[in-house]
C-alpha cells in the first residue's frame, strides 16, 4: 500500500504503478524482509522508510496542511521507537527545507507544527526507555541522543521558517549548525564507521558487505549481487539521472524531497547489504519516472516506451526470480533450521 501511495504521490500513471508493484513483489530484497516466520526490525524499518517518504511528499506538496505536518512529525518521532538508527530519516527533511530556504528565501510557514509534533512524540515515546531514564546519550540506545536530534531538527526547521536568506542569516545558520553538531560529533564518527563497516568484528559478516564489493571481487560476486538486487542494479545510474532531471526541471518541493531521500537511500543501500531497504525503491521507481518523462516528450511512442520498460523489468528480474522457488529455513535463519535434536533441517 505504501509503494502504491508513493507512485501515485509522484504522479506515475497507473500502468507504471502496476509494474512498480510487480518489481516490489518479485524483488529478492522484499522477499528476504518478509520471509515466513521472520519477525525482526528490518521489516518495520522498511515500513517507516516508505511511510516517511510518502508523508514527506504530501507535506512538501502542501506545507500549509497542518494535518500532514503533524502526521510527518508523528511518523518520524515513532520511527526511533522501533529502531534507534531511524533518526537519520530526519536528514532529507532538513536538507530539503534548507534547499527551499536558499531558493525561496524562507522555509515553509507551518514548519513549527511539524517540529512540535516531532519533539512531543519523541519525548513521550522516550519516557519508558531505561537508557533515557538513566541518562544515556548514544545512538546505540534509545536515549537522550534521540531527543537531542529531534530537538536539533526542530530548531533548524523553525530557524529556516522564520528567517530569510541574507548574509546575516547565513552566518547565524553556520554558527547554529556548529553549535548543534559539536555535542554529537563522536556519535557521528561512530555511525560513519558502522556504515563503512570499518570495524574488524564486521569483516566476515555478509550483511555488512557492500553490494559493490564485486568490483574488487570475482565474477561470482557479481552474479550474487545481481541475483539479490536484480539486473536493475546495473541501471541505477540511468534511473538516478532521470530522477535528477525530473526533480530539478521545475524545482517542485516534493520532487526535491524525493530526490534527496532517494540519494540518501541509495548511499546507504550501496554502503551495506543490511541497509538495502533504505534505497531499494531506487532500483525501479526512478526508472519509471524516466519512462514517464520519455512518454510525455514523445507522446506518439508512449505505448512503445511502456512495452519496453515492462519487458526490461521482466528481463532484469530473470536472474533473481528463481530464488522465489527455493526452499528456505523458517524465518530465513539457518540457526532455526534444525529440530531440537539437531537431526534434520526444517524447511518450507
Amino acid at each position: 500500500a505504501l509503494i502504491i501511495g508513493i507512485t501515485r504521490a509522484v504522479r506515475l500513471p497507473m500502468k507504471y504503478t502496476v509494474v512498480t508493484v510487480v518489481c516490489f513483489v518479485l524483488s529478492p530484497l522484499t522477499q528476504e524482509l518478509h520471509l515466513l516466520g521472520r519477525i525482526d526490525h528490518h521489516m518495520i524499518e522498511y515500513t517507516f522508510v516508505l511511510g516517511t517518504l510518502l508523508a514527506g511528499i504530501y507535506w512538501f506538496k502542501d506545507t500549509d496542511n497542518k494535518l500532514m505536518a503533524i502526521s510527518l512529525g508523528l511518523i518520524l518521532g515513532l520511527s526511533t521507537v522501533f529502531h534507534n538508527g531511524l533518526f537519520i530519516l530526519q536528514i532529507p527533511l532538513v536538507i530539503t527545507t534548507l534547499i527551499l530556504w536558499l531558493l525561496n528565501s524562507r522555509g515553509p510557514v507551518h514548519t513549527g507544527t511539524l517540529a512540535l509534533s516531532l519533539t512531543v512524540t519523541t519525548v513521550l515515546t522516550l519516557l519508558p526507555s531505561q537508557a533515557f531514564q538513566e541518562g544515556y546519550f548514544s545512538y546505540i540506545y534509545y536515549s537522550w541522543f534521540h531527543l537531542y536530534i529531534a530537538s536539533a531538527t526542530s530548531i533548524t526547521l523553525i530557524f529556516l521558517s522564520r528567517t530569510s536568506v541574507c548574509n546575516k542569516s547565513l552566518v547565524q545558520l553556520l554558527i547554529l549548525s556548529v553549535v548543534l553538531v559539536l555535542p554529537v560529533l563522536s556519535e557521528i564518527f561512530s555511525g560513519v564507521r558502522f556504515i563503512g563497516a570499518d570495524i574488524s568484528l564486521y569483516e566476515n559478516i555478509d550483511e555488512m558487505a557492500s553490494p559493490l564489493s564485486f568490483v574488487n571481487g570475482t565474477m561470482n560476486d557479481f552474479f550474487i549481487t545481481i541475483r539479490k538486487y536484480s539486473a536493475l542494479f546495473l541501471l541505477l545510474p540511468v534511473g538516478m539521472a532521470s530522477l535528477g532531471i525530473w526533480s530539478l526541471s521545475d524545482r517542485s518541493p516534493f520532487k526535491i524531497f524525493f530526490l534527496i531521500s532517494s540519494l540518501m537511500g541509495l548511499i546507504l543501500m550501496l554502503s551495506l547489504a543490511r541497509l538495502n531497504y533504505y534505497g531499494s525503491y531506487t532500483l525501479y521507481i526512478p526508472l519509471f519516472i524516466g519512462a514517464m518523462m520519455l512518454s510525455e516528450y514523445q507522446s506518439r511512442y508512449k505505448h512503445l516506451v511502456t512495452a519496453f520498460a515492462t519487458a526490461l523489468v521482466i528481463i532484469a528480474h530473470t536472474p533473481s526470480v528463481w530464488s522465489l522457488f527455493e526452499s528456505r529455513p523458517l524465518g530465513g535463519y539457518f540457526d532455526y533450521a534444525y529440530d531440537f535434536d539437531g537431526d534434520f533441517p526444517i524447511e518450507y
Side-chain angles (χ1 to χ4, degrees), residues 38-231:
R38 169 163 289 183
I39 302 175
D40 63 16
H41 57 84
H42 297 298
M43 178 271 291
I44 198 66
E45 285 180 78
Y46 190 32
T47 301
F48 274 105
V49 168
L50 298 179
T52 301
L53 186 61
L54 180 59
I57 291 172
Y58 278 111
W59 156 245
F60 281 109
K61 276 187 172 183
D62 183 12
T63 53
D64 291 332
N65 190 328
K66 289 187 177 182
L67 180 60
M68 284 310 306
I70 294 171
S71 299
L72 180 54
L74 186 65
I75 292 172
L76 289 171
L78 287 175
S79 66
T80 49
V81 177
F82 293 90
H83 194 274
N84 56 329
L86 288 175
F87 68 87
I88 62 174
L89 294 178
Q90 299 170 41
I91 294 177
L93 171 63
V94 173
I95 293 178
T96 303
T97 304
L98 174 60
I99 292 174
L100 295 176
W101 182 71
L102 293 172
L103 292 175
N104 302 321
S105 299
R106 189 175 290 273
V109 176
H110 293 296
T111 303
T113 303
L114 192 160
L116 181 63
S117 174
L118 169 61
T119 304
V120 171
T121 303
T122 303
V123 170
L124 292 177
T125 54
L126 272 169
L127 292 177
S129 170
Q130 182 177 350
F132 180 74
Q133 294 173 7
E134 295 181 0
Y136 280 75
F137 188 91
S138 172
Y139 79 92
I140 297 176
Y141 306 104
Y142 193 39
S143 64
W144 283 89
F145 170 85
H146 295 86
L147 178 57
Y148 183 86
I149 293 298
S151 301
T153 296
S154 299
I155 291 170
T156 304
L157 292 177
I158 291 173
F159 174 85
L160 295 175
S161 67
R162 297 291 187 269
T163 60
S164 299
V165 178
C166 63
N167 291 335
K168 179 181 178 180
S169 60
L170 286 172
V171 173
Q172 289 174 337
L173 179 60
L174 178 61
I175 295 173
L176 176 64
S177 301
V178 171
V179 170
L180 292 176
V181 167
L182 281 177
V184 293
L185 205 55
S186 62
E187 296 297 314
I188 292 174
F189 287 139
S190 177
V192 170
R193 286 186 62 207
F194 174 78
I195 293 175
D198 187 24
I199 301 175
S200 58
L201 178 64
Y202 300 150
E203 290 179 356
N204 297 317
I205 301 178
D206 290 340
E207 68 172 19
M208 300 302 292
S210 166
L212 294 174
S213 58
F214 69 82
V215 173
N216 297 318
T218 64
M219 187 58 69
N220 185 57
D221 295 325
F222 170 77
F223 284 118
I224 289 175
T225 297
I226 298 304
R227 182 181 174 86
K228 184 173 183 178
Y229 294 82
S230 83

